[in-house]
């Protein structure tokens, strides 16, 4: 059973083709710079037990040209992995914002597409691109079931006290302003890996997804998200690569009134020019780590602020859960940045969290679940590689089984 997973961005298409009989990836790739110059596709594939890759430089005026080349690469005689697009039995799409309606993956219909479009106001950078990915995929796989998997779905178990804002009620009832969260597919996946590893399906877990976008989630003994750091949009919560995270709203009023910032510039300022980039001039944590080790004061402040924000959320979520069995680091920074994991876990001894610094370094960037807590730690500290594509593929497969 072959499932194709598509994550379409405004100028990119990320894809994976998975064999669900073995949960293995047989091809994956990324189309970049759609709609601009310097287009490139990097296609990695597994054929006859050998892994290889193919790169092609060409212009992609629209997503249609990108998807056309993906299909050609998947079916190519020399480096393709299927003989015909019909070999694929289902296509799963990552959709960032499902609003308060979609709490489970759904088979894509015209009505579902209309709903995704309606919710674009809640995720203007993501949902329109996600919807475009669906429409393009339907052109090339017209008779193959397509499934939408929503990033927000996992967080719809949050209680009102966690997702409501203390603003007049009509803004919630009429305009649906509330906390929705994000990265739900990743949090759900690593939580399952954690409880299976611990052989404790009722474990209370705090999952920490640290990448260019970052979020942290409190998951109770029922496997339900009860709170998460991202809010109405992915801007809220932790410090990120280019996003500010939590900020006093009155700062924005002050910027407009006193700093000469135009109101329409605020979105770009907070989403694309803040976070690590705003503090250090670099948005990549690897660059900031290097500056930190050289004693750069901006980098020191950045990592101290970054880790402090995560630390505060850990404390808050332990209180919300009334205890915790494990904390899990995942995603690009969470899995690979020993420096930040060390800073985050420092001085949490009172909460029973104690890192083994040697394991933290030696087991960084693992292929499977690794524990990095000290022997005296009362709380498990784990690194778990996320696999959102596999989670989406599994959700898609489950929908196909119900058809």
């Amino acid at each position: 059973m072959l499932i194709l997973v598509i994550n379409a961005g405004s100028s990119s298409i990320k894809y994976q083709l998975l064999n669900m009989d073995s949960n293995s990836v047989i091809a994956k790739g990324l189309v970049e710079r759609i709609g601009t110059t310097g287009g490139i596709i990097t296609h990695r594939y597994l054929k006859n037990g050998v892994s290889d890759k193919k790169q092609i430089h060409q212009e992609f005026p629209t997503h249609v040209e990108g998807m056309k080349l993906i299909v050609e690469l998947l079916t190519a005689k020399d480096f393709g992995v299927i003989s015909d697009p019909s070999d694929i039995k289902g296509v799963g799409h990552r959709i960032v914002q499902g609003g308060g309606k979609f709490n489970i993956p759904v088979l894509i219909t015209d009505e579902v597409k209309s709903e995704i479009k309606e919710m674009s106001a809640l995720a203007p950078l993501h949902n329109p691109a996600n919807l475009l990915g669906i429409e393009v995929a339907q052109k090339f796989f017209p008779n193959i079931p397509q499934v939408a998997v929503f990033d927000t779905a996992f967080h719809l178990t949050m209680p009102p006290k966690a997702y409501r804002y203390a603003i007049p009620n009509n803004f919630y009832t009429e305009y649906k302003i509330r906390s929705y969260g994000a990265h739900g597919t990743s949090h759900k996946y690593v939580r399952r890996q954690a409880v299976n590893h611990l052989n404790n399906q009722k474990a209370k877990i705090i999952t920490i997804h640290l990448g260019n976008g970052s979020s942290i989630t409190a998951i109770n003994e029922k496997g339900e998200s009860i709170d998460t750091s991202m809010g109405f949009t992915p801007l809220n919560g932790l410090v990120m690569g280019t996003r500010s995270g939590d900020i006093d709203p009155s700062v924005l009023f002050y910027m407009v009134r006193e700093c000469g910032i135009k109101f329409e510039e605020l979105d770009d300022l907070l989403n694309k020019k803040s976070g690590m980039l705003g503090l250090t001039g670099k948005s990549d944590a690897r660059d900031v780590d290097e500056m930190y080790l050289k004693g750069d004061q901006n980098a020191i402040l950045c990592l101290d602020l970054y880790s402090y924000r995560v630390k505060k959320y850990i404390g808050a979520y332990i209180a919300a859960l009334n205890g915790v069995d494990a904390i899990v680091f995942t995603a690009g920074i969470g899995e690979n940045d020993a420096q930040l994991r060390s800073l985050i876990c420092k001085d949490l001894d009172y909460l029973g969290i104690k890192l083994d610094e040697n394991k933290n370094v030696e087991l960084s960037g693992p292929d499977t679940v690794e524990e990095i807590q000290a022997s005296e730690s009362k709380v498990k500290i784990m690194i778990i590689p996320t696999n959102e594509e596999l989670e989406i593929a599994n959700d898609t497969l489950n929908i196909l089984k119900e058809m």
Side-chain angles (χ1 to χ4, degrees):
M1 174 72 79
L2 299 182
I3 301 292
L4 178 65
V5 174
I6 294 175
N7 182 356
S10 58
S11 62
S12 66
I13 304 173
K14 184 180 180 182
Y15 63 94
Q16 278 195 17
L17 182 62
L18 297 98
N19 182 338
M20 300 310 294
D21 296 327
S22 57
N23 281 346
S24 60
V25 178
I26 59 175
K28 64 179 180 179
L30 176 65
V31 183
E32 300 177 84
R33 295 181 173 271
I34 298 173
T36 183
T37 58
I40 182 174
I41 182 170
T42 302
H43 176 76
R44 303 176 188 276
Y45 59 96
L46 178 65
K47 191 167 185 177
N48 300 322
V50 178
S51 297
D52 207 344
K53 76 173 182 178
K54 176 78 173 177
Q55 274 193 333
I56 296 176
H57 294 262
Q58 76 171 56
E59 301 306 306
F60 301 105
T62 71
H63 285 65
V64 173
E65 290 81 12
M67 186 63 70
K68 181 175 184 291
L69 187 53
I70 290 171
V71 174
E72 290 175 359
L73 288 169
L74 289 173
T75 57
K77 181 179 179 180
D78 294 334
F79 41 81
V81 292
I82 58 175
S83 58
D84 188 86
S86 63
D87 293 341
I88 296 170
K89 302 307 177 186
V91 181
H93 294 265
R94 179 202 180 206
I95 311 298
V96 167
Q97 178 58 261
K101 178 172 183 177
F102 294 106
N103 60 355
I104 57 173
V106 295
L107 188 68
I108 294 172
T109 62
D110 288 342
E111 182 182 355
V112 169
K113 288 196 293 183
S114 178
E115 294 276 1
I116 292 171
K117 184 177 182 179
E118 264 188 46
M119 288 177 286
S120 289
L122 301 177
L125 299 179
H126 299 93
N127 270 39
N130 300 157
L131 180 58
L132 184 57
I134 291 172
E135 292 174 338
V136 171
Q138 288 179 327
K139 291 181 185 294
F140 289 93
F141 306 99
N143 300 313
I144 297 173
Q146 315 249 342
V147 174
V149 180
F150 299 90
D151 258 7
T152 51
F154 183 60
H155 300 301
L156 290 183
T157 52
M158 290 191 297
K161 65 183 179 182
Y163 70 70
R164 286 291 299 273
Y165 295 117
I167 56 178
N169 289 329
N170 68 295
F171 287 102
Y172 171 67
T173 56
E174 295 179 35
Y175 300 101
K176 310 303 180 187
I177 296 177
R178 51 159 286 178
S179 175
Y180 291 102
H183 295 144
T185 305
S186 176
H187 290 293
K188 178 184 175 184
Y189 176 82
V190 297
R191 182 264 171 188
R192 185 188 301 116
Q193 300 303 307
V195 297
N196 288 344
H197 175 82
L198 296 171
N199 195 27
N200 179 7
Q201 297 299 314
K202 294 185 177 181
K204 297 177 181 179
I205 310 286
I206 295 174
T207 51
I208 309 171
H209 178 111
L210 303 179
N212 191 51
S214 299
S215 63
I216 178 169
T217 296
I219 306 175
N220 67 14
E221 64 276 9
K222 298 177 184 178
E224 299 169 335
S225 168
I226 65 163
D227 207 348
T228 193
S229 59
M230 285 182 167
F232 180 62
T233 73
L235 178 60
N236 198 58
L238 307 179
V239 175
M240 305 175 222
T242 63
R243 297 179 188 139
S244 66
D246 291 339
I247 188 169
D248 181 345
S250 63
V251 171
L252 311 186
F253 310 147
Y254 187 87
M255 284 179 168
V256 172
R257 190 173 61 245
E258 304 292 340
C259 303
I261 301 297
K262 296 180 180 178
F263 176 79
E264 56 269 22
E265 295 174 346
L266 289 176
D267 192 307
D268 188 64
L269 174 67
L270 296 181
N271 275 294
K272 298 180 180 180
K273 297 179 180 178
S274 297
M276 286 186 165
L277 179 64
L279 292 169
T280 70
K282 303 286 186 180
S283 62
D284 192 309
R286 292 167 293 189
D287 295 331
V288 180
D289 277 343
E290 187 175 331
M291 294 166 63
Y292 178 94
L293 294 174
K294 291 178 179 177
D296 183 277
Q297 291 303 305
N298 287 331
I300 290 171
L301 171 62
C302 177
L303 295 196
D304 282 349
L305 198 163
Y306 186 106
S307 57
Y308 182 65
R309 186 74 58 84
V310 178
K311 194 190 303 275
K312 287 203 297 182
Y313 270 96
I314 290 173
Y317 286 172
I318 289 176
L321 289 166
N322 191 24
V324 68
D325 296 296
I327 62 173
V328 174
F329 289 96
T330 193
I333 295 172
E335 295 167 29
N336 297 290
D337 198 321
Q339 175 70 44
L340 270 171
R341 288 195 303 266
S342 178
L343 289 171
I344 290 166
C345 293
K346 186 179 180 181
D347 298 329
L348 291 177
D349 311 57
Y350 185 80
L351 298 177
I353 298 170
K354 180 69 174 176
L355 190 70
D356 184 314
E357 295 290 354
N358 290 329
K359 288 182 180 178
N360 181 42
V361 173
E362 293 168 2
L363 300 176
S364 195
D367 294 324
T368 186
V369 179
E370 295 288 0
E371 295 184 17
I372 56 172
Q373 73 278 354
S375 58
E376 65 268 29
S377 181
K378 295 179 181 178
V379 176
K380 298 285 188 181
I381 307 173
M382 309 165 79
I383 308 173
I384 302 180
T386 192
N387 194 333
E388 294 167 279
E389 289 78 15
L390 178 58
E391 187 69 23
I392 292 170
N394 277 322
D395 286 338
T396 301
L397 182 62
N398 289 335
I399 294 288
L400 298 182
K401 290 178 178 176
E402 294 172 2
M403 293 177 64

